[in-house]
Amino acid sequence: MSLALVFDYLVSPTFLRGAMMTLLLTVCSLAFGVLIGLVVALLQESRTRTGQAVTLVYLWLFRGTPVLFQIIFIYNVLPSFGIRLSAFVSAVLALSLNEGAYMAEILRSGLQAVKKGQRVAGLALGLTSFQVMRHVVVPQAARIVLPPIGNQMIGMLKLSALVSVIAVEELLLVANQTASATFRYFEALTAAGIYYLAMTTVFMALQMLLERSLDPKKRQRARNVPLAERLLGITRAPAIR
Amino acid sequence: MATTDIRPGEAATTAKPQLEIMAIDKSFGSNRILKACSLNVAAQETLVVIGPSGSGKSTLLRCVNLLEPVDAGNIFFEGRDITREADKAHLVRREIGMVFQNFELFPHLSAAENIMLAPVRALGMSRADAHDIATALLAKVHIPEKADAFPDELSGGQQQRVAIARALAMKPKLMLYDEPTSALDPEMIREVLDVMAELSAEGMTSIVVTHEMGFARRAADRIIFMEAGEIIETATSDAFFGGSVNERTRRFLDQILH
């Protein structure tokens, strides 16, 4: 065991590139996943026959099969229909489509959690349906869906390791290849683990900041609770809400 | 300050009523909620609507500001047939304020922001101007110190008064109150009714669904009694409290007054 080697791996360009690839995969797939989820959630809310049928089939397919299967299927089967995608695009496509299915459910639950009376009150003030959605429903729904979306963000970071099966040079593949070549499994995998923990920590902090920015009361009256306590949720200060 | 305004009405009696409801019908499925209801409301008049639950009182209010489309009949607001303006419903609603049983304040906004939302978003007013209006209206409903409080930090009575201020911010020509005190603890009913009575006294045209007969006696010009989707009786306040009501109205009153 050599901690010096762990450090060498951490700062090596290969590992850094692997980590950047993991981050890129995560961010792209999350962004497209949220977009797909939003479209699907609104289609379901719209209550049109076709919309509901399409979303039902989509949710059934992508929640009903393993992500690993979806990744391999898109990369290996689509080319036989003449659709040739790079490993990276296949990976993002599979992860986004999978993510979208879960996002749709999260976003829909958020929209439905805002009571009908709130929309009626907005309409009664003379706001248009769009303005009611934008200024009354979405701000309330956003606060409800943020914790589960934070979970999805962290989940996606870890899920992205799966695309190593189609040879996308992400963090886990890099670590595994390095270890196989040098037989330094402990050092290579420890370095990868540190990268994963660092990135999930950043995501958690991001989620906390977002939650605060969406809660007007907390923004105005935040107490000085140490960051570590807040992150770990061990603060003993009475909850504001 | 001109902005708070409840305009003290041009002429007490105009030739045309401000609101003219002509034989409107409304059904939910096979359930006929409103049966050919007709009603006129004059400018500056305060009309109290009473009747048992399920009699169509709330539906009547919701039809007036187009939250529910009518199946038949017409509603004229200041001479315009608003039942023909369904695609411009949001424009009609800007002129008609509504207050709900459960307040329906927006929980993510402070009291002042609740009041400012519609003027800023629907009318494009600047935040500074809207804030001035909010401040003045909060004073008008007797809680100027609560501008920065959030709804869950306010008592029910305070929330309902913010809700009234929120509706007034659009300078409505007609106020609809849908059982505004039914969800309140007894000790808070008075502060809300006081605000409503003050508005009525200033000449705000109002339709109030309520069982608070004390308020009716104090503020109503006329009282109507509804049952099973029909307007059974229309009486001036004097006649009503003078006891000249028909048998069904009398029976209902005996029930609510115990």
Side-chain angles (χ1 to χ4, degrees):
Chain A
M1 274 195 271
S2 156
L3 290 180
L5 188 57
V6 171
F7 182 77
D8 283 348
Y9 283 151
L10 276 178
V11 295
S12 73
T14 337
F15 272 74
L16 194 62
R17 247 183 283 127
M20 286 304 110
M21 178 54 85
T22 289
L23 197 60
L24 190 65
L25 278 168
T26 306
V27 170
C28 289
S29 307
L30 272 174
F32 287 119
V34 169
L35 276 181
I36 294 169
L38 194 63
V39 171
V40 172
L42 290 175
L43 268 177
Q44 280 182 304
E45 288 282 279
S46 74
R47 298 198 181 86
T48 57
R49 271 274 165 78
T50 4
Q52 294 214 312
V54 169
T55 56
L56 207 66
V57 171
Y58 167 70
L59 293 179
W60 178 63
L61 281 179
F62 283 88
R63 291 198 307 174
T65 55
V67 202
L68 192 54
F69 164 85
Q70 293 161 16
I71 294 167
I72 299 174
F73 190 94
I74 286 178
Y75 186 60
N76 291 317
V77 179
L78 287 191
S80 47
F81 294 98
I83 306 170
R84 215 161 283 281
L85 303 171
S86 73
F88 177 77
V89 173
S90 301
V92 169
L93 186 63
L95 291 176
S96 309
L97 285 171
N98 184 260
E99 188 62 19
Y102 290 93
M103 272 311 170
E105 295 293 283
I106 292 173
L107 295 176
R108 195 166 59 94
S109 72
L111 291 176
Q112 285 178 349
V114 180
K115 299 220 165 51
K116 190 163 174 274
Q118 289 280 302
R119 297 170 206 240
V120 173
L123 289 175
L125 283 168
L127 298 169
T128 62
S129 312
F130 179 79
Q131 287 168 334
V132 169
M133 197 42 121
R134 165 76 185 75
H135 300 293
V136 176
V137 179
V138 168
Q140 294 184 55
R143 278 162 62 178
I144 295 164
V145 300
L146 204 57
I149 285 184
N151 274 344
Q152 293 297 109
M153 282 166 62
I154 289 164
M156 174 60 79
L157 193 79
K158 295 182 290 186
L159 220 53
S160 69
L162 289 177
V163 305
S164 57
V165 296
I166 56 170
V168 176
E169 292 274 327
E170 50 69 58
L171 190 53
L172 185 63
L173 187 65
V174 166
N176 212 16
Q177 283 171 343
T178 309
S180 314
T182 60
F183 294 103
R184 308 299 292 240
Y185 278 96
F186 171 80
E187 289 79 0
L189 291 178
T190 302
I194 291 173
Y195 266 120
Y196 277 120
L197 278 173
M199 288 190 282
T200 47
T201 307
V202 170
F203 276 27
M204 283 183 204
L206 207 65
Q207 180 190 354
M208 197 198 71
L209 287 178
L210 265 174
E211 277 179 30
R212 269 189 63 185
S213 74
L214 283 178
D215 189 335
K217 271 199 266 182
K218 274 191 193 159
R219 200 171 50 211
Q220 281 177 9
R221 297 161 208 181
R223 257 175 260 235
N224 283 328
V225 180
L227 183 71
E229 281 186 21
R230 260 193 232 149
L231 278 178
L232 297 172
I234 54 169
T235 168
R236 257 175 294 278
I240 291 171
R241 286 180 61 85
Chain B
M1 162 165 193
T3 44
T4 46
D5 71 28
I6 312 315
R7 77 224 70 193
E10 297 72 78
T13 44
T14 39
K16 270 273 178 194
Q18 186 163 28
L19 183 73
E20 213 175 346
I21 298 172
M22 292 168 72
I24 58 168
D25 250 81
K26 179 69 190 175
S27 301
F28 293 112
S30 59
N31 199 359
R32 202 165 159 218
I33 304 293
L34 294 178
K35 299 169 186 162
C37 287
S38 293
L39 179 68
N40 288 352
V41 183
Q44 302 195 20
E45 185 177 28
T46 293
L47 182 80
V48 163
V49 183
I50 61 172
S53 62
S55 59
K57 309 182 300 287
S58 292
T59 306
L60 181 71
L61 287 194
R62 294 165 66 91
C63 285
V64 168
N65 72 350
L66 307 180
L67 287 172
E68 298 290 352
V70 295
D71 298 334
N74 303 83
I75 300 173
F76 291 88
F77 179 62
E78 303 201 312
R80 306 190 324 267
D81 185 355
I82 56 175
T83 49
R84 301 285 164 269
E85 295 185 21
D87 53 328
K88 287 182 287 181
H90 62 288
L91 297 178
V92 174
R93 293 188 197 117
R94 287 175 193 175
E95 300 183 52
I96 302 176
M98 187 158 188
V99 174
F100 303 91
Q101 183 175 351
N102 295 314
F103 329 135
E104 299 297 351
L105 289 183
F106 305 130
H108 60 297
L109 300 177
S110 69
E113 288 167 336
N114 262 280
I115 300 170
M116 291 161 64
L117 181 71
V120 170
R121 301 299 174 185
L123 303 180
M125 188 181 290
S126 76
R127 284 187 65 84
D129 289 351
H131 196 269
D132 288 345
I133 290 180
T135 307
L137 284 173
L138 283 169
K140 189 172 189 64
V141 298
H142 313 305
I143 36 175
E145 73 283 6
K146 295 294 184 187
D148 294 325
F150 283 82
D152 62 1
E153 299 165 333
L154 298 171
S155 72
Q158 291 169 336
Q159 287 188 58
Q160 192 61 296
R161 286 186 280 156
V162 173
I164 292 172
R166 178 176 69 176
L168 292 177
M170 292 298 281
K171 300 182 184 164
K173 296 171 180 161
L174 168 66
M175 284 288 282
L176 308 174
Y177 301 89
D178 190 3
E179 304 207 24
T181 57
S182 305
L184 293 176
D185 291 332
E187 72 272 21
M188 293 170 186
I189 290 176
R190 182 65 194 233
E191 64 196 43
V192 172
L193 294 179
D194 282 348
V195 167
M196 293 164 56
E198 285 161 24
L199 288 170
S200 288
E202 289 171 23
M204 171 62 77
T205 314
S206 308
I207 305 179
V208 187
V209 173
T210 186
H211 290 159
E212 295 293 333
M213 298 317 293
F215 171 80
R217 187 188 289 272
R218 180 152 64 120
D221 297 303
R222 272 190 308 154
I223 296 163
I224 67 173
F225 173 65
M226 284 183 76
E227 192 174 62
E230 288 175 287
I231 296 172
I232 303 288
E233 170 145 26
T234 307
T236 64
S237 186
D238 292 341
F240 188 89
F241 289 105
S244 49
V245 292
N246 73 32
E247 187 47 36
R248 285 156 84 178
T249 313
R250 160 78 39 223
R251 248 182 290 136
F252 176 73
L253 282 176
D254 285 346
Q255 276 167 3
I256 64 168
L257 299 173
H258 316 298

